[in-house]
Amino acid sequence: MIGQQEADSIERRSGVSLWRQIADRILQAIATGDFAENAALPPEVALAERYGVNRHTVRSAISALVQEGVLRAEQGRGTFVLSRKRLSYPIGARTRFSTGLQGQTSERHIVLLSSSVEPASQRVAEGLGLTRGAEVIRLETRGEADGRPVSRAAGWFDARRFAGIDKAMAETGSITASLARFGIDDYLRQSTVLSARHADAADLADLDLQPGAIVLVTVAVNITPDGQPIQFSESRFPAERVELKLSAL
Amino acid sequence: MIGQQEADSIERRSGVSLWRQIADRILQAIATGDFAENAALPPEVALAERYGVNRHTVRSAISALVQEGVLRAEQGRGTFVLSRKRLSYPIGARTRFSTGLQGQTSERHIVLLSSSVEPASQRVAEGLGLTRGAEVIRLETRGEADGRPVSRAAGWFDARRFAGIDKAMAETGSITASLARFGIDDYLRQSTVLSARHADAADLADLDLQPGAIVLVTVAVNITPDGQPIQFSESRFPAERVELKLSAL
DNA sequence: GTATATTTGTCCGTATGTATA
DNA sequence: ATATACATACGGACAAATATA
């Protein structure tokens, strides 16, 4: 026999593009365990030879699977099979970062990335019941669990009522604890709007994602039990690592 | 002057790849209105000449923007700028398709695509409080608004309690009306788990999407007011057309 | 620490296929 | 039918990041 022929070989002019056939073969290999989770795929040139195509054709297949969140390619290192387990992040009347992930991770915390004072944009002003342009404090945070980023959030607060919350946040590492310093013992989620999109450049950097990754985006308003809006927020979650579990609001 | 030089020309060996620079230029052109919504972009060869690169480099840029949900390429026709308005689909204690979209669309309805009887899988059985393998009726539906698909759902019901719900659904075009025939006047959303992923081949066909599109996925259980589970469902929403608005559960 | 090899990323050019106008 | 425009595939060259000797 001259030349190894695989049982389920790729076919030219079959109506299905070569790169798609190769991508499906790789998916199959992952499903059957031929390529284990977190394991490195053979180099592109090796795959090209195995499937009898040009390296660029293999690259198209890999590129598609990177987009689909199955693989991760790292220049100079290799291409790896991603793991598929997700954290379940609860969203409900009392959405809190740390307590929500309890039991799912051995460690979790919030890092304050930056804070600033700025005039309220239209949507922030609406959410907080302020006039547009009123001063608000903006806190940029990242949530991490077991060393991996699981959320990236911007929170806005009325600068007059919550002057110094940036300092409180830096010291406590907790929104809940920071609000407590201002006499807020309890707060509720008033509204949440949820969407999904591809990660932009900032998301990629903040959440350590690969181009093509998906982020879940929540835009929310928190209020006191008696109905005063206290926080407007936009959060982004890497869809490959997090799912959102809606509980009673 | 030999050769037109644009003010903000693309730069080689600037650290940013040519295709990314071109993608950003296209984004900018859309933002400034140079390329209007739903308008066709110039052909690839024209863009290649405009930016002084090979056609493949333009293709890389376009490909990235298609992935990002900004453009839509149609073989033989052209490449088009997508519109960015989204429907806001409410999810809450009483999530209903038709009433939820009222006011946002002039027309909306549910199409029953298929129905079948099958043994309950593990997760369906758990959701409905049945034993695994118990007979369940599965309804496949698509929600459409103003002629465009906005959701694709599979719903499972206990086959003994809801025998004939497939027929009811075909006649009424409404889950709520169908359940009413079985004496269910009201039902509540017990749980919802939300995730996002790239559309697979079935999603692309069902929802009329382009490869690389994102779908929001909800897995939910509906119960009667006294707590009996009646429906397990998995719904997929095209993220480019729908956002989810969480209301009180 | 440095050179070398490995591996993925970018860009070009060419040819051909396929869908649409 | 013909032309247009996007899609696929190949081949080559070099750059950039990483791993290894």
Side-chain angles (χ1 to χ4, degrees), chain B residues 86-225:
Chain B
R86 287 173 175 164
L87 287 180
S88 192
Y89 188 91
I91 291 198
R94 288 182 176 75
T95 292
R96 310 285 188 267
F97 179 79
S98 190
T99 52
L101 296 179
Q102 229 160 14
Q104 300 185 64
T105 67
S106 59
E107 176 276 334
R108 60 223 159 255
H109 65 275
I110 295 181
V111 180
L112 176 63
L113 299 175
S114 70
S115 63
S116 57
V117 177
E118 60 183 36
S121 66
Q122 182 63 38
R123 63 170 194 165
V124 170
E126 272 179 22
L128 292 178
L130 302 173
T131 57
R132 186 172 170 181
E135 274 200 344
V136 288
I137 297 173
R138 171 178 171 176
L139 303 182
E140 295 280 342
T141 57
R142 178 169 56 221
E144 299 178 3
D146 293 336
R148 292 205 315 175
V150 293
S151 71
R152 179 74 171 72
W156 287 265
F157 304 83
D158 181 349
R160 288 195 301 188
R161 178 162 182 193
F162 296 103
I165 196 172
D166 46 346
K167 188 160 161 286
M169 185 66 204
E171 288 169 13
T172 64
S174 158
I175 296 277
T176 306
S178 299
L179 288 172
R181 291 197 183 176
F182 293 87
I184 311 282
D185 296 325
D186 189 20
Y187 60 94
L188 301 170
R189 182 67 70 105
Q190 182 195 38
S191 66
T192 306
V193 174
L194 206 145
S195 58
R197 58 169 171 75
H198 283 93
D200 60 27
D203 300 325
L204 299 181
D206 294 339
L207 295 169
D208 185 26
L209 294 169
Q210 295 281 297
I214 297 175
V215 288
L216 285 160
V217 181
T218 63
V219 174
V221 175
N222 280 325
I223 58 174
T224 59

Side-chain angles (χ1 to χ4, degrees), chain A residues 75-104:
Chain A
Q75 186 172 169
R77 297 220 316 134
T79 302
F80 305 88
V81 180
L82 288 175
S83 111
R84 222 179 332 25
K85 293 163 217 131
R86 287 172 175 164
L87 286 181
S88 192
Y89 188 91
I91 292 199
R94 287 182 176 76
T95 293
R96 309 287 187 266
F97 178 80
S98 191
T99 52
L101 296 180
Q102 229 158 15
Q104 299 184 66

Side-chain angles (χ1 to χ4, degrees), chain A residues 152 197-209 215 217 236:
Chain A
R152 179 73 170 73
R197 58 170 171 76
H198 283 93
D200 61 26
D203 300 325
L204 299 182
D206 294 339
L207 294 169
D208 185 26
L209 294 170
V215 290
V217 181
R236 306 187 293 280

